[in-house]
Amino acid sequence: MGKKKNNINKLKNKTTTTIDNEIVRFIIIFFIIVLVVIGLYFLSKIVINKRNVDNNTVDTIEIAYDKLNVGMIFNRPYDEYYVMIYDSNIEKAVYYSTIITKYKNLEDSIKIYYCDLSEKVNNKYYSGKENGNVNATNINDLSFGNLTLLKIKNGKITLYLENIEEIKKILK
């Protein structure tokens, strides 16, 4: 009887040791899997953040509400406004732009727009000379020199200037 009891104790010890070993292995494997999942989470977070930083170079698009094409000169929603038309590729273009900006800051009652003759859409209206068609009354007659200021009142040209000194007097 002692031999059977001894064998049963050995079998119990073996079973307990085997179960204990399996539990320990399970816990170790569980923690390894948890560590791998946590590691993959942080690794993916780092990769996504790096990718977002690299791709976040967004070009700012600016809508210029005061810039017109020649075809839009006569259809503004105001009764009276100015349109300054010039070629932005000439030397004095920055000076002309400054005059417009200065006028905008001083005067709020009359709207001023500008039109760039160097753009492809407007290029056919550019005479390429110092002066354009002073007698223009509609869009088909329009021809502009390097600098022109138009005053539009009720959809018609009421003032056509090409001299910078006269333009400055009007806009000051």
Side-chain angles (χ1 to χ4, degrees), residues 39-53:
L40 288 175
Y41 170 76
F42 285 111
L43 180 66
S44 66
K45 195 171 184 178
I46 290 169
V47 169
I48 288 172
N49 284 341
K50 186 175 182 182
R51 189 179 304 159
N52 285 343
V53 168

Side-chain angles (χ1 to χ4, degrees), residues 57-98:
T57 54
V58 176
D59 294 334
T60 304
I61 297 174
E62 202 172 304
I63 299 173
Y65 293 103
D66 54 349
K67 185 176 182 180
L68 301 177
N69 291 329
V70 173
M72 300 166 57
I73 288 176
F74 295 108
N75 65 359
R76 299 293 83 208
Y78 303 101
D79 293 333
E80 186 176 330
Y81 53 93
Y82 290 104
V83 180
M84 192 162 180
I85 305 158
Y86 60 93
D87 180 7
S88 67
N89 292 331
I90 62 175
E91 285 181 23
K92 293 185 178 182
V94 174
Y95 177 61
Y96 301 152
S97 177
T98 305

Side-chain angles (χ1 to χ4, degrees), residues 82 84 95 99 102-103 106-107 112 147 149 151 159 161-172:
Y82 290 104
M84 192 162 180
Y95 177 61
I99 291 172
K102 185 177 178 183
Y103 179 79
L106 295 175
E107 187 68 43
I112 185 165
L147 173 67
L149 178 71
K151 182 176 182 181
L159 181 67
L161 298 174
E162 294 181 322
N163 183 317
I164 187 65
E165 297 305 319
E166 291 175 9
I167 291 172
K168 284 178 12 184
K169 285 178 190 175
I170 295 291
L171 294 181
K172 286 190 177 187

Side-chain angles (χ1 to χ4, degrees), residues 150-163:
L150 300 177
K151 182 176 182 181
I152 309 292
K153 189 170 186 176
N154 298 323
K156 296 186 184 207
I157 298 173
T158 59
L159 181 67
Y160 187 104
L161 298 174
E162 294 181 322
N163 183 317

Side-chain angles (χ1 to χ4, degrees), residues 78-160:
Y78 303 101
D79 293 333
E80 186 176 330
Y81 53 93
Y82 290 104
V83 180
M84 192 162 180
I85 305 158
Y86 60 93
D87 180 7
S88 67
N89 292 331
I90 62 175
E91 285 181 23
K92 293 185 178 182
V94 174
Y95 177 61
Y96 301 152
S97 177
T98 305
I99 291 172
I100 293 171
T101 305
K102 185 177 178 183
Y103 179 79
K104 279 188 213 174
N105 292 337
L106 295 175
E107 187 68 43
D108 286 332
S109 62
I110 298 178
K111 184 75 174 146
I112 185 165
Y113 297 96
Y114 71 96
C115 183
D116 186 359
L117 291 172
S118 66
E119 291 182 359
K120 190 176 182 180
V121 176
N122 301 327
N123 203 12
K124 68 180 181 179
Y125 298 101
Y126 185 36
S127 69
K129 304 175 202 163
E130 195 67 31
N131 298 323
N133 182 6
V134 180
N135 300 320
T137 56
N138 61 39
I139 196 158
N140 297 326
D141 297 337
L142 290 176
S143 175
F144 303 108
N146 290 336
L147 173 67
T148 306
L149 178 71
L150 300 177
K151 182 176 182 181
I152 309 292
K153 189 170 186 176
N154 298 323
K156 296 186 184 207
I157 298 173
T158 59
L159 181 67
Y160 187 104

